[in-house]
Amino acid sequence: MPLDPEILERAREWTGSHCDPATRAEVQALIDADDEDEIRDRFGAQLEFGTGGLRGIVGAGTNRMNRYTAGAASQGLAHYIRKQVGPGNGSVVIAHDSRTHSAQFASEAAQIFAANGIRTYLFEALRPTPELSFAVRHLGATAGIVITASHNPKQYNGYKVAWSDGAQVIPPHDTGITDEVRAIHDLSHIRFADFESAKNDGLIVLIGEEVDEAYLAALDAARLAEDLDPAIPAGLKIVYSPLHGTGATLVPAA
């Protein structure tokens, strides 16, 4: 089936100066190779922001998980937060896992929220999703984001959104956020603040050990057998594998 000219034109738009050099080179290579199947797969659809967020294969294109599709999600969420709580009043917590570009996507999301005047608490390194939910409540944030694709294959990544209760967004916030994300039609509408400047201005706050300690204390307080003496060995032996996951950061300590 011949390649739709509109799809090819959409691909060529990603070779413009508004995209970073690596993205431009990746897309230009597909065009030069006349790889119609790959161009159609990458640009023939839009990676949809659904109830829980985004999830897709990492790569350049409108139907891929990259700094621009993830960036549109952050910009749309920023618009929604400002409408809900007013300019300068919202805050977001961001965590990420160990997948390809997770740290990059998390950092860039923080830059976008900062550019929109929304304070961001960014975990300094990978953390498990349950701690993100805890941190949203602990820090009194408006929303939370975790960059992860859960159980999907390694070539995937994703963008999950939680609201102020730390849980996945539900009506009316889910549809409200989705509408704002879908309204981002031009990549130039995504605003990025300089990371170091935003840190100096207090719009990006790095978090880590202090939230870990609060989270572990909350876990300890939830023990079912509170009368057990931790000094007495219980004879329980556990083998744990994080399977490349973020649980390795806290499960041993817990």
Side-chain angles (χ1 to χ4, degrees), residues 3-254:
L3 184 64
D4 188 327
E6 289 187 9
I7 296 177
L8 180 58
E9 182 58 32
R10 199 174 301 142
R12 286 184 174 136
E13 290 175 0
W14 282 56
T15 63
S17 59
H18 55 277
C19 287
D20 64 276
T23 296
R24 295 200 301 267
E26 184 177 343
V27 177
Q28 189 62 55
L30 295 174
I31 295 173
D32 292 344
D34 198 25
D35 193 339
E36 294 188 357
D37 289 342
E38 189 68 12
I39 294 172
R40 185 182 295 107
D41 187 47
R42 291 183 182 227
F43 293 94
Q46 186 77 34
L47 191 64
E48 278 291 312
F49 189 94
T51 302
L54 292 172
R55 187 173 296 173
I57 296 172
V58 174
T62 59
N63 195 34
R64 291 291 187 269
M65 181 72 182
N66 52 66
R67 69 177 311 210
Y68 301 107
T69 52
S74 293
Q75 187 64 58
L77 178 57
H79 288 167
Y80 185 78
I81 289 173
R82 287 168 62 93
K83 287 181 178 179
Q84 292 296 305
V85 300
N89 294 323
S91 61
V92 175
V93 184
I94 302 177
H96 68 84
D97 68 7
S98 57
R99 286 175 176 269
T100 302
H101 299 316
S102 283
Q104 173 193 332
F105 293 154
S107 176
E108 290 173 350
Q111 291 174 262
I112 293 169
F113 289 116
N116 286 272
I118 297 172
R119 174 172 288 179
T120 301
Y121 299 97
L122 175 66
F123 274 102
E124 60 191 359
L126 70 168
R127 290 298 191 280
T129 299
E131 187 175 7
L132 180 278
S133 294
F134 171 83
V136 169
R137 301 190 302 273
H138 178 67
L139 296 170
T142 312
I145 297 165
V146 58
I147 306 296
T148 180
S150 301
H151 59 280
N152 285 75
K154 65 180 181 179
Q155 62 266 36
Y156 282 76
N157 212 327
Y159 182 111
K160 295 182 179 180
V161 180
W163 200 240
S164 57
D165 59 355
Q168 180 174 296
V169 287
I170 58 174
H173 300 305
D174 57 348
T175 55
I177 295 169
T178 299
D179 289 344
E180 292 290 345
V181 174
R182 289 176 178 171
I184 307 294
H185 299 300
D186 190 329
L187 298 183
S188 65
H189 293 166
I190 304 171
R191 303 168 58 195
F192 290 89
D194 177 75
F195 190 91
E196 291 302 322
S197 296
K199 272 180 59 181
N200 293 336
D201 293 340
L203 284 170
I204 294 179
V205 180
L206 296 182
I207 58 174
E209 185 177 350
E210 68 280 9
V211 179
D212 294 343
E213 291 175 354
Y215 181 53
L216 290 171
L219 290 178
D220 189 56
R223 283 189 300 160
L224 297 179
E226 296 182 2
D227 58 337
L228 289 180
D229 184 347
I232 302 175
L236 179 64
K237 296 181 179 180
I238 298 173
V239 176
Y240 169 68
S241 171
L243 298 174
H244 308 293
T246 57
T249 59
L250 281 180
V251 167

